[in-house]
Amino acid sequence: MNTAKLLTISLLSYAAFALTGCGGGHEDDHGHSHASDESHQHGDHAHDEGHDHDHGEKTFAKTPGPNGGRLITSVDPRIELLVLEDKRLRLQTLDANLEPLPSDAFSYALIGGDRQNPTRLEFQSVSDSVSESTAPLPAGEGLPLILEIEDTQTGEVTRERFNYASYTCSGCKLQEYACICGH
């Protein structure tokens, strides 16, 4: 096949694909047009109330931490990891109701950032349920991080791997490192 025929087929395929997304779509979702009817109602709200047209309750894949941080459930008691404004990390032990739980059950270490020159963070206890990193995270977004959680009784180490990103998730409105949407 020559280049002109391939280009023509590609353009026609793209146009057909693009046009199938137009039309029907949202209007067909619930059997009426939204064209310009400002009085259009859905139950107890009008379109001029500025909503995102998802009429179902949002369900999330994970439970958020009580302070907006990442909830770590792979250990018991649970831990909330929160990145502070100065980019230091706060780790707080929590009970099953996500209330602060005095505990010396864990010691922590974190490694992350540039894989060729990783940053290691140490933690110190600042209260009976909270430990904070002694230094901030390295600069940057999308940093790969590994939090090592050592059980002080058994010596067993649990590793939590995640990427640090501070932008706000559009789904759950938490910072992306603590996102509970499951994407």
Side-chain angles (χ1 to χ4, degrees):
M1 226 185 236
N2 65 30
T3 305
K5 284 183 182 179
L6 281 175
L7 183 58
T8 302
I9 291 171
S10 296
L11 287 173
L12 287 174
S13 297
Y14 177 76
F17 178 74
L19 291 176
T20 59
C22 296
H26 185 73
E27 292 175 5
D28 291 342
D29 286 348
H30 44 272
H32 57 267
S33 171
H34 288 210
S36 63
D37 184 2
E38 290 301 320
S39 66
H40 168 78
Q41 298 278 323
H42 276 279
D44 62 347
H45 66 272
H47 272 184
D48 58 357
E49 289 181 15
H51 66 284
D52 68 0
H53 220 85
D54 179 10
H55 295 283
E57 290 294 316
K58 287 198 181 250
T59 56
F60 296 108
K62 301 176 189 173
T63 302
N67 300 300
R70 180 184 187 93
L71 188 63
I72 298 171
T73 59
S74 59
V75 293
D76 188 32
R78 298 171 180 184
I79 299 168
E80 180 181 30
L81 180 145
L82 183 65
V83 179
L84 304 173
E85 284 187 32
D86 63 0
K87 291 188 73 176
R88 288 181 308 114
L89 301 179
R90 174 176 287 162
L91 299 169
Q92 183 170 35
T93 52
L94 304 168
D95 65 17
N97 296 319
L98 303 182
E99 295 294 326
L101 177 69
S103 176
D104 60 354
F106 304 117
S107 64
Y108 310 99
L110 183 126
I111 186 168
D114 181 2
R115 292 175 194 233
Q116 301 302 316
N117 186 22
T119 299
R120 294 182 186 276
L121 298 181
E122 304 282 323
F123 290 81
Q124 66 183 14
S125 178
V126 295
S127 77
D128 59 357
S129 67
V130 176
S131 293
E132 290 182 356
S133 64
T134 57
L137 287 171
E141 288 289 323
L143 300 172
L145 301 175
I146 301 172
L147 175 64
E148 294 182 347
I149 305 164
E150 182 179 355
D151 184 312
T152 56
Q153 300 293 321
T154 66
E156 181 180 334
V157 175
T158 301
R159 290 180 179 85
E160 285 286 322
R161 291 172 169 80
F162 59 98
N163 290 323
Y164 169 72
S166 64
Y167 60 87
T168 302
C169 172
S170 62
C172 64
K173 308 300 184 218
L174 295 173
Q175 286 188 349
E176 189 62 33
Y177 79 91
C179 175
I180 58 173
C181 294
H183 54 87

